Amino acid sequence: MSTDRSAWAGMVPVDDTALYVTDTGGPGRPVVYLNGAYADQSHWKRVIADLGSGFRHIAYDERARGRSKRSADYSFEGSIRGLDAVLRARGVDRPLLVGWSYGGILAWHWADRHPDRVQAAVIVDAFPVGVTGAAGQEQIRKLFRRMRFFFPVAARLGLAARMTAAQHADVNIELNEIAAASVPVLERLTCPVRFVLATGDSLGSKGGEMDQGRATLEPVLARNPNLTVSARVASNHSKILRHDSPAVARTVREVAAEVSL
């Protein structure tokens, strides 16, 4: 449990950068929110409001997102180190992790590496599938090159990072490779893991690709009883936190009631 429960907002140093962190403090169970690949912590405000003051809410911006500083390292391992740094800085020993998209994959990998340090995980529309190989990588790079003029505006809206198009693509390519190789990780998780899944396609996907990806969870769920789908909602991947925050909050409450502090 945490040793510092005071409300706080500020910068936490890690590697060559610093992450902007907000912590509501209080005696409640610590819930740590992990963002989508290019999103900032503002996307969690509805979930946090729905859960209310009975929890201690800790959210932060990844490198070059939101108010956090830029870095020379935007890798997945850098994100793992960022989560470690936030937990140390806020004195949290056993978080309940809630991750959306990229943040969901980050949550299950951190839980796999630290099985004795995590209470539970709520995964919002992330699944073990990805576009890989040379053709897949070129597809991703083309998409981000087309979107390059959108990034400066999107970054101000919490929808992109302060990165180049090539850096955005590198993050996405690595994420796809990690997601595609995640089935063994999910199969060995020992903490309770609850999924909230969206429907339909999202930006950059088409033809039911996202629903095909969600279907890859089914055999994993059958092999690991610690994993459960708690809700399937009508929103798509991009809009799930905005339109279906009550389902996410309800899942957090349910899994929190199942595990001891």
Side-chain angles (χ1 to χ4, degrees):
M1 286 299 296
S2 170
T3 58
D4 181 358
R5 299 186 181 189
S6 56
W8 183 84
M11 306 300 290
V12 169
V14 56
D15 298 338
D16 65 344
T17 186
L19 308 179
Y20 179 70
V21 180
T22 59
D23 180 351
T24 62
R29 185 185 300 264
V31 179
V32 178
Y33 299 90
L34 307 175
N35 308 327
Y38 313 107
D40 64 25
Q41 61 181 278
S42 67
H43 292 264
W44 295 106
K45 62 184 180 181
R46 290 177 175 83
V47 174
I48 291 172
D50 289 339
L51 281 170
S53 59
F55 292 84
R56 176 183 174 187
H57 306 283
I58 301 171
Y60 65 98
D61 300 327
E62 288 281 2
R63 305 169 190 223
R65 284 81 149 177
R67 300 186 188 182
S68 292
K69 305 296 184 181
R70 288 185 171 93
S71 174
D73 182 2
Y74 297 116
S75 67
F76 190 80
E77 287 302 316
S79 293
I80 291 282
R81 293 193 300 275
L83 175 54
D84 287 334
V86 170
L87 295 176
R88 284 195 304 270
R90 300 312 302 150
V92 175
D93 297 323
R94 294 188 67 237
L96 194 165
L97 299 176
V98 183
W100 164 47
S101 190
Y102 185 103
I105 297 168
L106 181 63
W108 74 53
H109 274 271
W110 196 90
D112 178 56
R113 297 184 191 194
H114 306 283
D116 298 327
R117 292 184 54 203
V118 62
Q119 295 180 35
V122 173
I123 310 298
V124 183
D125 212 41
F127 27 88
V129 70
V131 177
T132 59
Q137 291 182 13
E138 184 55 28
Q139 175 188 336
I140 291 169
R141 294 196 186 282
K142 285 182 178 178
L143 171 65
F144 283 94
R145 282 197 295 269
R146 289 198 301 268
M147 295 173 61
R148 65 188 182 277
F149 299 114
F150 168 72
F151 293 142
V153 174
R156 290 195 291 271
L157 300 174
L159 299 171
R162 297 187 308 282
M163 301 177 186
T164 66
Q167 288 171 325
H168 277 86
D170 287 342
V171 168
N172 196 273
I173 287 168
E174 184 189 35
L175 178 63
N176 273 270
E177 292 172 348
I178 290 170
S182 284
V183 167
V185 177
L186 289 167
E187 289 182 339
R188 63 178 177 249
L189 289 176
T190 56
C191 69
V193 180
R194 302 293 177 262
F195 288 84
V196 180
L197 299 179
T199 58
D201 288 312
S202 191
L203 183 65
S205 68
K206 58 184 178 180
E209 289 176 345
M210 297 287 281
D211 279 334
Q212 293 171 25
R214 294 176 186 110
T216 62
L217 275 174
E218 297 303 326
V220 182
L221 296 171
R223 290 192 289 268
N224 187 345
N226 296 311
L227 278 55
T228 304
V229 174
S230 292
R232 298 179 187 271
V233 298
S235 299
N236 68 16
H237 182 78
S238 301
K239 298 178 180 178
I240 187 169
L241 294 182
R242 188 189 320 161
H243 293 168
D244 282 294
S245 61
V248 177
R250 183 169 59 251
T251 300
V252 173
R253 286 195 200 93
E254 289 172 354
V255 76
E258 296 176 20
V259 297
S260 60
L261 289 175

